[in-house]
Amino acid sequence: MVLSPASIAFDDTAGVSTASTQPKTVTISRSDTASAPLTGLALGNITYSGTPGWLTATISGTEAPATLTLTASKGSLAPGTYAASLPITSSVATNSPQNVVVTLKLVSRPPPPPPPPPPGSTITIVAAGNLGRCGGSLATESANAIAAINPDYVFVLGNNVMPDTGRVTTLQDYLNCYEPTWGQFKSKTYAALGDKEVDLDTIAPYGTGMAAGADAYFGPDRVGPPGKNYYSLDLGSWHVVVLNIQTGGPKRPVAIRYNANSEQLAWLNRDLRDHPNKCTIALWNLSMWMSSTKIFQTRDRYPNHGYRVQDIRGIWTVLYDRNADLVINGTPHIYERFGPMRYAEGYQHPTTTEYAADSARGIRQITSGLGGDGPLVADSPLVKHPLSEYRSGGDGFVKVVLGDGAYTWQFVNSRYSYIIDQGSGTCH
C-alpha cells in the first residue's frame, strides 16, 4: 500500500470568516503489480498532538485505487501549528497500517488597514514587484530604502516571494522569505499577485485560481477576496484599483480572467463607473506595454514597434474610457516609464502601432519590477517603444506622491542602483 503524498500541510489565517480550509487529497494505491486487488481499505482513529477535533477525513472506497479527502476546520483555533496522524488500513496489505501526517499552520490575521486619509491630503506610496529569491540581498536593500522614506502605503506588485517547492508560493514561503524583509511594512501594505503566487495552468481544466499563501499571509483586506484577488480602495482624493493580471489571459481559471467578457473586466467597469470624479491609479503585475528584445508582427504584418500584451487591451480600454490617470506594473524585471497613451483599437481599426500618444486623456504606465530580482544593468532592447521615456535596470522602487488633482513620481534606489527619473502629472 502506497500513500501519495504521505503528508499534508494546511496553511491558513486564524479568525477569518471561512471556517474550513480548502480540502486536500491523498491517493491510495498498491505498491506492486500483483493481480490481487488491494481491498479492505478503512480509516483508523485520528491521533492529535495537542488540540483535537479539527481534522475530518473521508475515503472514496474500500478498494485501491482510492482517494482520501482531508479537511481542516479552523473554527476558533488560535494561531499556531497543529498536528495529527491518520492511519489507513487494509485487510490484505502486508504493510498495513500506513499513516498520513497532517499539519495545520494558522497565522494571526493581519491588522486592519489604517483609516484612509481625508480627501485633499497628500499621500506617499511606493510600489514594486519581483522581490527575488529567498534571502537575496537586493530585496533587503530595497526594504532598507523604503524604511528610510517611511511612506504612507506600500504596494507589492506580484512575485512577492518565490515558491521554495512546487509551482505556487505557500504561507511558509511568505513567513520564511518575505517576512524578514518587506514584512516590516505589512500593516500598511496592499498586494497584487504574480504568476508565482496563483495556481495557474494554461492546460484545461486549468488551475484553481487560488493564491493560498498570499491569502493566508495578507488577508482579504490587503489582497482581495480569495479566488479573485482584485479589489479597490480610496486614498484621499484618489481611487486605487488593484487587479489580478498575469500571463495566460483567456486560458486562466474563469474567475480571474481579464479578457473580453470576463468577470474581472466587468467588475472593473462597474467599479470605475461607481467612483467618478476621482483621480484613478491602477496597479497589477504584467505590463501591457514594454520595449522588446524581439520584433513582433501584427495580424496585418505591420512591424510592432514596441511590444504589447494583447490580452490586456480590454483592461486598458476600460481604464481609458473611465478616465484613469496612472498605471503601475510589477513585471517585467525592469524600470520603464512611458508617455501618456491609449490603446489604438488595433483589432477593429488596424494601425501600424496599436497605440497612440494622447497628452489630453492618455494613461501613463510605469513598470516598477526591480524590488529585488532585476538586472542591475538593463539589456539593450532591439525595439524600444517610441513612447518609452526612460528605461533602466537597477534595484529599488517607484515612489508616487498622490496629491489633489496631481501626482509626482521618483525612482528610489537602493545602494546597488543609480536610476535618476522623476516627474509630475495631472489628473484628467
Side-chain angles (χ1 to χ4, degrees):
M1 179 168 53
V2 174
L3 307 180
S4 180
S7 62
I8 293 290
F10 292 98
D11 294 328
D12 216 321
T13 306
V16 298
S17 57
T18 55
S20 300
T21 61
Q22 291 290 318
K24 296 190 176 185
T25 60
V26 174
T27 300
I28 306 170
S29 58
R30 59 179 306 123
S31 58
D32 54 42
T33 58
S35 59
L38 177 60
T39 58
L41 296 177
L43 304 181
N45 294 323
I46 301 173
T47 301
Y48 293 93
S49 175
T51 305
W54 51 266
L55 181 66
T56 56
T58 59
I59 192 170
S60 62
T62 60
E63 182 174 334
T67 300
L68 170 68
T69 301
L70 299 166
T71 303
S73 299
K74 298 181 293 182
S76 59
L77 290 176
T81 300
Y82 302 86
S85 179
L86 170 63
I88 311 298
T89 62
S90 166
S91 59
V92 298
T94 58
N95 63 345
S96 175
Q98 292 290 300
N99 289 312
V100 178
V101 177
V102 184
T103 58
L104 170 62
K105 179 173 290 185
L106 298 178
V107 297
S108 300
R109 182 172 185 170
S121 299
T122 296
I123 302 151
T124 299
I125 69 169
V126 301
N130 300 315
L131 303 191
R133 62 182 179 85
C134 189
S137 62
L138 295 180
T140 298
E141 291 300 328
S142 63
N144 292 340
I146 290 177
I149 65 174
N150 191 26
D152 297 307
Y153 299 94
V154 173
F155 286 84
V156 288
L157 302 181
N159 294 340
N160 310 315
V161 61
M162 302 296 286
D164 181 50
T165 60
R167 296 184 298 112
V168 183
T169 55
T170 64
L171 173 61
Q172 195 61 50
D173 293 326
Y174 268 96
L175 295 176
N176 291 347
C177 304
Y178 181 94
E179 183 72 17
T181 56
W182 288 48
Q184 63 188 290
F185 315 116
K186 187 176 181 181
S187 65
K188 54 185 177 183
T189 294
Y190 290 93
L193 300 179
D195 57 8
K196 298 296 187 294
E197 288 142 311
V198 183
D199 179 19
L200 299 174
D201 196 332
T202 57
I203 300 174
Y206 313 127
T208 65
M210 299 297 293
D215 288 336
Y217 182 78
F218 289 111
D221 292 336
R222 307 303 184 86
V223 74
K228 295 184 177 181
N229 298 113
Y230 50 86
Y231 57 103
S232 68
L233 61 147
D234 289 331
L235 297 180
S237 59
W238 282 74
H239 186 60
V240 182
V241 177
V242 181
L243 300 176
N244 188 354
I245 297 176
Q246 335 75 26
T247 184
K251 295 183 178 181
R252 292 164 24 121
V254 172
I256 57 173
R257 292 178 185 175
Y258 49 83
N259 54 304
N261 300 317
S262 66
E263 179 182 344
Q264 184 170 190
L265 187 63
W267 172 88
L268 175 64
N269 192 45
R270 293 193 304 270
D271 180 80
L272 296 181
R273 179 200 64 196
D274 294 342
H275 294 85
N277 305 318
K278 277 185 171 289
C279 301
T280 301
I281 178 174
L283 306 102
W284 68 83
N285 180 247
L286 179 62
S287 299
M288 176 163 178
W289 306 105
M290 61 191 78
S291 294
S292 178
T293 55
K294 298 179 181 179
I295 294 177
F296 293 82
Q297 301 289 328
T298 67
R299 180 182 64 174
D300 292 343
R301 301 185 184 278
Y302 291 116
N304 183 0
H305 299 296
Y307 183 53
R308 83 282 181 264
V309 179
Q310 189 68 38
D311 289 335
I312 307 177
R313 67 190 185 276
I315 295 291
W316 260 75
T317 299
V318 169
L319 289 170
Y320 180 81
D321 289 345
R322 296 293 182 182
N323 292 311
D325 303 285
L326 181 62
V327 164
I328 304 180
N329 302 130
T331 287
H333 302 202
I334 206 74
Y335 175 74
E336 188 163 20
R337 174 177 54 81
F338 296 83
M341 71 171 94
R342 61 181 172 86
Y343 176 71
E345 303 154 326
Y347 274 13
Q348 293 83 1
H349 308 286
T351 69
T352 60
T353 60
E354 297 194 11
Y355 63 86
D358 188 336
S359 59
R361 290 186 52 217
I363 302 170
R364 184 185 304 282
Q365 176 190 298
I366 296 176
T367 303
S368 180
L370 299 174
D373 187 24
L376 294 181
V377 178
D379 60 342
S380 298
L382 183 63
V383 180
K384 183 179 180 182
H385 196 294
L387 294 182
S388 176
E389 297 178 339
Y390 191 99
R391 185 179 187 277
S392 180
D395 181 54
F397 50 88
V398 67
K399 178 182 79 171
V400 180
V401 178
L402 305 174
D404 193 3
Y407 63 93
T408 64
W409 75 86
Q410 177 188 3
F411 190 87
V412 179
N413 296 279
S414 78
R415 64 172 177 164
Y416 296 126
S417 181
Y418 192 68
I419 292 174
I420 301 176
D421 186 52
Q422 60 185 6
S424 63
T426 57
C427 298
H428 303 137

